[in-house]
Amino acid sequence: MSDSVPPSTDLPIDDELEPIEILTLPLDAWHRERGARMVEFAGYHMPVQYEGIMAEHLWTREHAGLFDVSHMGQLGVTGPNVAAALEALMPAAISDAPRNKARYSLLLDDQGGVLDDLMLTPQGEDQVYMVVNGATKYDDLAHMIERLPDEITLNLMEEHALLAVQGPEAVAAVARLIPGVDALVFMQAGAFDWQGHALWISRSGYTGEDGVEISVPAEAAVALADALVAQPEIKPIGLGARDSLRLEAGLPLYGHDLDPTTTPVMADLGFALAKRRREAADFPGAARVLAEREAGPALRRVGLLVEGRQPVREGATVVDDGGAIVGRVTSGGFAPSVGAPIAMAYVPAALAAPGTGVTLSQRGKPHRATVTAMPFVPHRYFRGVK
């Protein structure tokens, strides 16, 4: 799950429209002091790059990058039988999940369409911590408030920032400041203390690299960010590199690769359908989703290696030999670690096998591409010492 830089949007001009307020996050001035180029995303000013997307991308792959993802929605969900209540909205097995073990899941509509992808962590018998995408957090809240029992409380943790430190040297660097972090394994979380501030840290992220995500009180965010980038391995990294990193890792971006027209099976996210939930068929849209799982969906999300050097972007189409549109590109760009343009697309099942050649059309120009297995670069999550 990841929010990233959106495509540009043309808005109608209307003198009567009130200007939309763009909000600032706790590290806004911190980013500007370091020369970040700021853009509007999800209603906030966000850093898109500092010294350049290519350099920041490669630094993260080789060392460690600090990402400000405070625009994401951090939710505390509490109340009696909270796990069972949340299971009515998504296909995760929450009630029998180990405490402090993070799970990736999907908020589904009644037809099995994806309303959002998210991370959730049971913190106690009646408490779940959840992170949802920034651009959808208020819609997610409305959806959950409407459907959850009255005794369930949703707390949007707007007084907290969220920092991600990603890369092969990330955990060792963070552990110098916060002892014990290095004992976590992938998708494990826990409570920590830094200079008297309570932190919630999970060994997770959305770059394909090892690393951590740190929930920190907003008043301590600047001091913690300063301490992190004082480590020689860590540099601040913008949303541009975050997007290219997650694309290389084959990770979908909500609003681009995922939306209500896609199902978990179409999106190749079948792992998010817990076995117990599949057997009970008791999650939203279960009939459609399980039928697709059995018979196969009409369209599948696949990875593409694009020939040449020209990136093919979101909005390009997949066409057959006669030029008819049969699929769509949902993410694309140049992959610094691969040294070539890559993309993700939805294609007919008959074209989804790795090695299949396809034709893409971007602004009327054809591009050849080959379906390839994802991720484009190997994930390097730390799952423990073997």
Side-chain angles (χ1 to χ4, degrees), residues 288-300:
R288 176 190 178 190
V289 172
L290 295 176
E292 280 189 353
R293 189 172 184 271
E294 183 68 24
L299 295 172
R300 292 183 180 274

Side-chain angles (χ1 to χ4, degrees), residues 320-332:
D320 64 16
D321 292 340
I325 296 173
V326 296
R328 58 192 173 96
V329 174
T330 53
S331 288

Side-chain angles (χ1 to χ4, degrees), residues 256-276:
H256 302 257
D257 312 295
L258 300 173
D259 61 37
T261 70
T262 57
T263 67
V265 181
M266 289 171 58
D268 194 28
L269 298 175
F271 69 89
L273 307 173
K275 181 180 179 182
R276 171 170 64 80

Side-chain angles (χ1 to χ4, degrees), residues 156-218:
L156 179 59
M157 300 165 56
E158 294 184 292
E159 74 284 0
H160 280 68
L162 187 64
L163 307 181
V165 188
Q166 301 283 289
E169 298 175 351
V171 172
V174 174
R176 286 190 215 113
L177 300 174
I178 309 168
V181 166
D182 49 346
L184 298 174
V185 297
F186 181 56
M187 298 292 273
Q188 185 181 17
F192 293 83
D193 179 88
W194 179 74
Q195 295 188 355
H197 299 286
L199 308 179
W200 180 257
I201 301 178
S202 62
R203 196 157 185 172
S204 59
Y206 221 67
T207 62
E209 295 292 336
D210 188 18
V212 295
E213 293 178 302
I214 306 170
S215 178
V216 54

Side-chain angles (χ1 to χ4, degrees), residues 101 185-187 203 379-386:
K101 182 69 174 177
V185 297
F186 181 56
M187 298 292 273
R203 196 157 185 172
H379 293 165
R380 296 198 283 187
Y381 306 132
F382 178 73
R383 302 180 186 275
V385 178
K386 295 182 179 179

Side-chain angles (χ1 to χ4, degrees), residues 60-81:
T60 303
R61 286 273 185 250
E62 295 165 8
H63 304 288
L66 172 64
F67 300 83
D68 180 10
V69 289
S70 301
H71 63 300
M72 306 284 276
Q74 299 183 69
L75 305 178
V77 191
T78 57
N81 301 312

Side-chain angles (χ1 to χ4, degrees), residues 238-319:
L239 289 181
R242 181 174 166 84
D243 192 46
S244 58
L245 288 159
R246 70 91 195 167
L247 178 57
E248 287 186 344
L251 301 173
L253 174 63
Y254 194 82
H256 302 257
D257 312 295
L258 300 173
D259 61 37
T261 70
T262 57
T263 67
V265 181
M266 289 171 58
D268 194 28
L269 298 175
F271 69 89
L273 307 173
K275 181 180 179 182
R276 171 170 64 80
R277 307 301 307 285
R278 297 197 312 266
E279 292 173 347
D282 60 352
F283 56 88
R288 176 190 178 190
V289 172
L290 295 176
E292 280 189 353
R293 189 172 184 271
E294 183 68 24
L299 295 172
R300 292 183 180 274
R301 180 174 65 95
V302 300
L304 298 173
L305 288 173
V306 181
E307 295 180 8
R309 303 290 290 179
Q310 178 66 42
V312 175
R313 307 288 184 181
E314 176 185 3
T317 55
V318 184
V319 297

